[in-house]
Amino acid sequence: VAAVEAVKRTKSSGIVLGIDRSEPMIELARVKGAKFKNLSFVKMNAERMTFPDEFFDVVISNSGISYGAFHETIAEILRVVRKGGSLTFNDWHLIDVPTHRTFSEILRQHRTEHPSEKLSSRSAAIAMMEHVGNKYSDVKGQAEELEGVGFRNIRVRRRDYRILLPGIRGYLAMRLEREAL
């Protein structure tokens, strides 16, 4: 939980407030952060926060900005962060994943003329996220959008990590549930 890491680095007089749109994630975060008196969590959508203008000194997002609402979310963050404050966020992209290419090829080869309603809706959601995601799939696109809403002094640090999913089922679960991310 990013908020727990943030509160560990915050002066005792500072307050850390975590938000998430998912009640189960809020409950998990509350359990993980229970020992910190200056840490609270609220269920809320980042693209429509109920905080006053310039409320925060720092905003941190740990893979929490949806590509589908990227513009709205960063505009809202700019509204709630004070002048001279900062936004730090991380994002992840799958790069050169042979299983990803194989999965896409299998789906392409086995498409039917009349897929089930559930498969159609999942396919449409994945296609929409890939279309929208392509706009922000590189740092340049994200930086342009950040500048477009008013952020300045944008700095980028790239890190590459290898992740290991527990077998093909783990990969398929991640791929098929991607529209929920």
Side-chain angles (χ1 to χ4, degrees):
V1 177
V4 172
E5 292 303 315
V7 80
K8 290 177 184 176
R9 292 163 177 78
T10 301
K11 295 177 183 178
S12 61
S13 61
I15 296 171
V16 174
L17 181 59
I19 70 167
D20 198 288
R21 69 180 66 221
S22 162
E23 190 63 44
M25 288 303 293
I26 291 293
E27 291 304 317
L28 177 63
R30 286 179 178 146
V31 169
K32 289 187 174 202
K35 69 181 182 178
F36 300 100
K37 295 187 185 330
N38 56 339
L39 175 61
S40 296
F41 295 95
V42 179
K43 182 180 180 219
M44 187 181 302
N45 292 341
E47 62 270 18
R48 289 182 308 280
M49 291 184 268
T50 57
F51 304 112
D53 294 354
E54 299 188 33
F55 188 73
F56 296 101
D57 294 320
V58 176
V59 174
I60 301 170
S61 176
N62 185 23
S63 297
I65 301 178
S66 165
Y67 287 157
F70 191 82
H71 178 85
E72 293 83 0
T73 302
I74 62 173
E76 184 68 354
I77 291 169
L78 184 65
R79 181 187 70 77
V80 299
V81 73
R82 71 170 171 76
K83 303 287 186 261
S86 66
L87 161 64
T88 299
F89 75 96
N90 66 45
D91 193 10
W92 63 274
H93 304 282
L94 297 177
I95 300 170
D96 191 31
V97 181
T99 312
H100 185 75
R101 289 191 303 273
T102 302
F103 181 67
S104 295
E105 182 62 21
I106 290 168
L107 286 178
R108 190 186 63 72
Q109 289 177 5
H110 297 282
R111 285 198 170 107
T112 65
E113 284 187 43
H114 306 289
S116 71
E117 188 176 319
K118 183 176 182 180
L119 182 58
S120 290
S121 67
R122 284 185 176 218
S123 295
I126 288 170
M128 187 276 297
M129 289 306 293
E130 286 176 349
H131 173 74
V132 172
N134 286 339
K135 181 176 180 181
Y136 306 115
S137 65
D138 65 10
V139 172
K140 183 180 178 194
Q142 291 174 341
E144 288 173 356
E145 197 71 23
L146 287 162
E147 285 180 344
V149 300
F151 280 98
R152 301 292 176 254
N153 302 319
I154 298 167
R155 292 183 300 254
V156 175
R157 184 182 336 172
R158 179 183 169 133
R159 295 181 181 171
D160 292 328
Y161 297 96
R162 289 189 172 272
I163 60 169
L164 181 63
L165 294 169
I168 191 70
R169 288 192 188 276
Y171 173 78
L172 291 174
M174 178 206 56
R175 181 67 171 95
L176 288 172
E177 295 301 327
R178 184 170 163 192
E179 73 269 21
L181 293 175

